[in-house]
Amino acid sequence: MDAILADGLTPAERRRFDADVLAGPLGSRLDIATKRGAARRREFLTLVKPYLAGVDPRVKRDLPVARRLAFHLVDRREIDELAEGDALQKLVTAAAEPSRRVRKNMRWYADLPLQDEIPEPLYRLRRADLIPVTQIDEISWSGGRLHVTGHAYLAGLSVRSRRFNRATVVLRGPRWLPPVRMRTRRIFRPEATHGAQEVGCNYDWSGFTAELGPWPLRWRSAVRAVVRGGKRLLRRREIVQDTTTWRAEIVIWSRGARAVGLLRGPSVGRTERPAGLDLGRGWWIRPVWTSDRALQVVLQPTRAELTGVQLDGERLLVEVFLPGKEATRGHARLDGHRIAADFTPVEGGTTVVVPLAVSSLLQERDGGRLWIEPKGDPAASVMIGKARESRTVIDDREIAVLRDRRDRVSVSAHRIHPIITAVAWDDQGTLTLQGTYPGSGAAELTLKHRAGMIHAVPLEREGSRFTVRFAPAAMPRFGDTAPLSSGTWSMAVRDPAKKILPVRVDHAALDTLDEETKIRDGREYRLISTRFDVPVLSVAEHLPDDEKGAGGLYALRRGFYPAERTRELTDTTVYVAYDGRQYEGNVRAVYEERVRRGDDREHIWVVKDGAFTPPGSAELGFGPDVRPTVIRAGSREHYAALARSRYVVTNGFLPQWFRAREDQMVVQTWHGSPLKRMGNDLPHMSRDPRPPAWHRQAVEVRGWDLLLSQSPWATSVLRKAFGYRGEVLESGYPRNDVLLAPEREETAARVRARLGIARGARVVLYAPTYRDYDRKNASIRIDLAEARRVLGPGHEFLIRGHSMQAAPNVPAGLGRDVTAYPDIADLLLIADVLITDYSSVMFDFAVTSRPILLFTHDLQRYSSKRGLYLDLAAEAPGPLLSTGAEVIKALRSIDEVAAAHAERYERFQRTYAPRDDGKATRRLVDHVFVP
């Protein structure tokens, strides 16, 4: 700031600079310093107070209310008072809730603390606080009129009816042109309440629909054209038709408050690509979106129109017509490159031929828009008009002349893209995509989640056409099926050379594309073309209205759940494994043991995002009597079950809203003996003041009635890490019983068959943990091609990534990605060798007595960043290896390596897994569930 201010800003520039700094980065730093304790607050205040003294009072007055009040305190109070007191902390905490609004004498004020210490006018909401929250759901044309539908409201000001509730969409053009007011009325839109962030607010009547005919835009544009044309004539230049742009704003009057803001935020899909209206004689009205997602309406002449594209030897000839313009000279431009063009006057205008060198186009990475610039006139963007788009195939690449979302022509060269031309859903939920993709050979459609998960579906190819079919609600997964996880799934094609090609939607199919939501088994699936022609598959859980949004959560947590806790307990058990994401581990073992014993009390499994379907006694081979109840995580049934079930069995933290009752029993089986530091032993947990995670853990741990431990060593670590003082059962881990079960060989054979692993192959399981400092890294750091060359084809590599790390990048044909395999215990059962690093899986695998290699390439960094409970160099059950080459070398002589570490291995087993004898589940079930 000192460097910028030293350059000498004008008073107006200084005010803008100060406003941006105080409302933006400096305000954020204030929030951080306030939460970090007295020392950090003192440091921040000492630095910022001198600067704040030089800020114009008008700038401080117009800041958002939370910043205004905080900087008022900084300005007026002593540093010691603010650093040691809690005034700033009260303000920052309360300001995080935008719904804190109150009305006094027809004016709105922020309901924030310290009202008896700060002048009341500073709490009044000003323009910076009253910014409309908007979303546009539909833009369409009907009867030659533009219709815009969406919702708009002021955060914290409920809109429960039409009374005292008005909104007007206003189009503001350049400078002096009078604004255009669209005919606007409020409509019922409960979706606005469901998607709002403010609890306790109702925005059901914040919807609006606005409509407008072309005439108000046309006459204003004509007046502007006369003025601009006159100016050009005075300069002795020809008159040129010009585009007029109006930005869309919405004016809201709601319960005494008035606010103006840009109309922004299109719903994904069709709303992102609104159609234009052809007015005739080359004029169009087009609704368009800016780069910051704000709506504009443009009245645009077609000054250059595409008429044809043809390949002529080494040149691509692009033909363009300039209506009403006779020009003999000029040039074209493609993405900033100036290109010679042939101008030929004809009747009604000029024909322009733009020769594009094919070799030059093929060398360009990115395409660009095509412009025609007649001599003496401004450049004209070439519009698609009635011409057909073209794709010219040259070897394995294509030159595409296409339209964008504004009907402007762009030219690009790239590898041949698969193009979707038809989309269909059947009654069974199967999605069929058809399209064009020249070539031959096996290819597959890949669906990739933002979290890194990938599904591959083979393409059926016939000539230049392809078809692909899959059911999003039943995707293959290691011999079973599971629905796609919630989120957005992008689409690409992996060609025969294993290269990834983006998939696009045929522009001719966009208008008829089925983008409606399909509901299947309690989940919503929707194929959308976003960013104009990029297909994505959107997946979400289908929620009832009273569970949607912050308001639904608030009602469940503050109303429904407390009421359920007052009711009598039922003799049921709730099972929660990894927040409901997996059916595995200690929780699974406890459930299956009780079902094996014929315990017919109700068993309730919490399932998140449709991740699995727990089996009943018949599927487990124990008889046909016991069927579990499945409830969706976060549902009303979930709150009721945790409120009224006598037993809760989990392997991790329960939801923050859960509070254990005195007569409930919470069994915490945890998900592994800790090797890396956790809980109170993490550096940030000892910070003053305590972070929210510390308080969250303290409340959670107080509700545990029994903590399961694998060993006496683990008991001491877990007690300290969690601050736990209750009962501990050192029975070993139930999830490891399968590794010592009498039928383990038969189970292992079934798992190998499920994974397609040949009998006799040596299975190497690589299961690293996550890195807090490098979670986006998908590298596995072992050269699997080199491993295949050195070890031969008799080795199978299974790669098990951590759920909190980016999905591993496993080369096809060299290893198997088993990150999504339901239960890691099955993988440990079939593994002949385990490669890990700092994961607790080593404690479990030690039960098998099979070799363990520790690939600790970042040991020093991990130890300093996260911290370890063990001195691996002295206590690890296998060698510490720092490079992939060392790992391969150790695998090549694994028997010798195992023999060299046999004594340490046995000592490791005695210390860290002394109770794992195949009977841990029985001991736990007898202790908890048998009277």
PDB file of all heavy atoms in Angstrom, residues 18 32 89 128 218 317 442 675 872 891:
ATOM      1  N   ASP A  18      -8.775   3.075  -1.449  1.00  0.00           N
ATOM      2  CA  ASP A  18      -9.051   2.800  -0.040  1.00  0.00           C
ATOM      3  C   ASP A  18     -10.310   1.954   0.128  1.00  0.00           C
ATOM      4  O   ASP A  18     -10.355   1.030   0.959  1.00  0.00           O
ATOM      5  CB  ASP A  18      -9.207   4.115   0.734  1.00  0.00           C
ATOM      6  CG  ASP A  18      -7.887   4.856   0.876  1.00  0.00           C
ATOM      7  OD1 ASP A  18      -6.832   4.205   0.771  1.00  0.00           O
ATOM      8  OD2 ASP A  18      -7.904   6.088   1.089  1.00  0.00           O
ATOM      9  N   ILE A  32      -9.087 -12.549   9.932  1.00  0.00           N
ATOM     10  CA  ILE A  32      -8.136 -13.600  10.302  1.00  0.00           C
ATOM     11  C   ILE A  32      -7.408 -13.249  11.595  1.00  0.00           C
ATOM     12  O   ILE A  32      -7.274 -14.073  12.507  1.00  0.00           O
ATOM     13  CB  ILE A  32      -7.131 -13.824   9.152  1.00  0.00           C
ATOM     14  CG1 ILE A  32      -7.863 -14.358   7.915  1.00  0.00           C
ATOM     15  CG2 ILE A  32      -6.019 -14.772   9.582  1.00  0.00           C
ATOM     16  CD1 ILE A  32      -7.002 -14.426   6.687  1.00  0.00           C
ATOM     17  N   GLN A  89     -13.906  -9.674  18.030  1.00  0.00           N
ATOM     18  CA  GLN A  89     -14.300 -11.060  17.822  1.00  0.00           C
ATOM     19  C   GLN A  89     -15.821 -11.205  17.803  1.00  0.00           C
ATOM     20  O   GLN A  89     -16.372 -11.974  17.013  1.00  0.00           O
ATOM     21  CB  GLN A  89     -13.695 -11.943  18.912  1.00  0.00           C
ATOM     22  CG  GLN A  89     -13.788 -13.430  18.611  1.00  0.00           C
ATOM     23  CD  GLN A  89     -12.911 -14.252  19.523  1.00  0.00           C
ATOM     24  OE1 GLN A  89     -12.248 -13.720  20.394  1.00  0.00           O
ATOM     25  NE2 GLN A  89     -12.900 -15.556  19.322  1.00  0.00           N
ATOM     26  N   ALA A 128     -23.805  -0.739  -0.192  1.00  0.00           N
ATOM     27  CA  ALA A 128     -22.865  -1.865  -0.198  1.00  0.00           C
ATOM     28  C   ALA A 128     -23.432  -3.089   0.501  1.00  0.00           C
ATOM     29  O   ALA A 128     -22.943  -4.206   0.280  1.00  0.00           O
ATOM     30  CB  ALA A 128     -21.551  -1.447   0.464  1.00  0.00           C
ATOM     31  N   ARG A 218     -35.306  -0.852 -30.482  1.00  0.00           N
ATOM     32  CA  ARG A 218     -35.036  -0.446 -31.869  1.00  0.00           C
ATOM     33  C   ARG A 218     -35.028   1.072 -32.015  1.00  0.00           C
ATOM     34  O   ARG A 218     -34.148   1.636 -32.671  1.00  0.00           O
ATOM     35  CB  ARG A 218     -36.064  -1.072 -32.811  1.00  0.00           C
ATOM     36  CG  ARG A 218     -36.010  -2.586 -32.828  1.00  0.00           C
ATOM     37  CD  ARG A 218     -36.893  -3.178 -33.900  1.00  0.00           C
ATOM     38  NE  ARG A 218     -36.352  -2.917 -35.240  1.00  0.00           N
ATOM     39  CZ  ARG A 218     -36.831  -3.461 -36.345  1.00  0.00           C
ATOM     40  NH1 ARG A 218     -37.858  -4.294 -36.280  1.00  0.00           N
ATOM     41  NH2 ARG A 218     -36.307  -3.187 -37.516  1.00  0.00           N
ATOM     42  N   LEU A 317     -10.680 -22.247 -47.933  1.00  0.00           N
ATOM     43  CA  LEU A 317     -11.285 -21.010 -48.399  1.00  0.00           C
ATOM     44  C   LEU A 317     -12.572 -20.744 -47.624  1.00  0.00           C
ATOM     45  O   LEU A 317     -13.511 -21.544 -47.663  1.00  0.00           O
ATOM     46  CB  LEU A 317     -11.582 -21.091 -49.896  1.00  0.00           C
ATOM     47  CG  LEU A 317     -10.378 -21.377 -50.803  1.00  0.00           C
ATOM     48  CD1 LEU A 317     -10.816 -21.417 -52.259  1.00  0.00           C
ATOM     49  CD2 LEU A 317      -9.284 -20.335 -50.591  1.00  0.00           C
ATOM     50  N   ALA A 442     -10.728 -49.838 -30.724  1.00  0.00           N
ATOM     51  CA  ALA A 442     -11.455 -49.786 -29.455  1.00  0.00           C
ATOM     52  C   ALA A 442     -11.266 -48.422 -28.794  1.00  0.00           C
ATOM     53  O   ALA A 442     -10.155 -47.915 -28.695  1.00  0.00           O
ATOM     54  CB  ALA A 442     -10.976 -50.894 -28.531  1.00  0.00           C
ATOM     55  N   LEU A 675      -0.672 -43.849  13.231  1.00  0.00           N
ATOM     56  CA  LEU A 675       0.767 -43.721  12.999  1.00  0.00           C
ATOM     57  C   LEU A 675       1.138 -42.249  12.858  1.00  0.00           C
ATOM     58  O   LEU A 675       2.104 -41.776  13.441  1.00  0.00           O
ATOM     59  CB  LEU A 675       1.173 -44.497  11.747  1.00  0.00           C
ATOM     60  CG  LEU A 675       2.626 -44.360  11.301  1.00  0.00           C
ATOM     61  CD1 LEU A 675       3.581 -44.791  12.397  1.00  0.00           C
ATOM     62  CD2 LEU A 675       2.871 -45.161  10.027  1.00  0.00           C
ATOM     63  N   LEU A 872      10.105 -44.715  12.720  1.00  0.00           N
ATOM     64  CA  LEU A 872      10.056 -45.777  11.725  1.00  0.00           C
ATOM     65  C   LEU A 872      11.415 -46.417  11.504  1.00  0.00           C
ATOM     66  O   LEU A 872      11.506 -47.624  11.250  1.00  0.00           O
ATOM     67  CB  LEU A 872       9.506 -45.228  10.403  1.00  0.00           C
ATOM     68  CG  LEU A 872       8.016 -44.846  10.411  1.00  0.00           C
ATOM     69  CD1 LEU A 872       7.602 -44.302   9.047  1.00  0.00           C
ATOM     70  CD2 LEU A 872       7.155 -46.038  10.772  1.00  0.00           C
ATOM     71  N   LEU A 891      11.254 -55.630  -4.123  1.00  0.00           N
ATOM     72  CA  LEU A 891      10.267 -56.611  -4.571  1.00  0.00           C
ATOM     73  C   LEU A 891      10.941 -57.784  -5.286  1.00  0.00           C
ATOM     74  O   LEU A 891      10.485 -58.936  -5.187  1.00  0.00           O
ATOM     75  CB  LEU A 891       9.245 -55.950  -5.500  1.00  0.00           C
ATOM     76  CG  LEU A 891       8.249 -54.994  -4.841  1.00  0.00           C
ATOM     77  CD1 LEU A 891       7.440 -54.258  -5.900  1.00  0.00           C
ATOM     78  CD2 LEU A 891       7.315 -55.755  -3.894  1.00  0.00           C
TER      79      LEU A 891
END
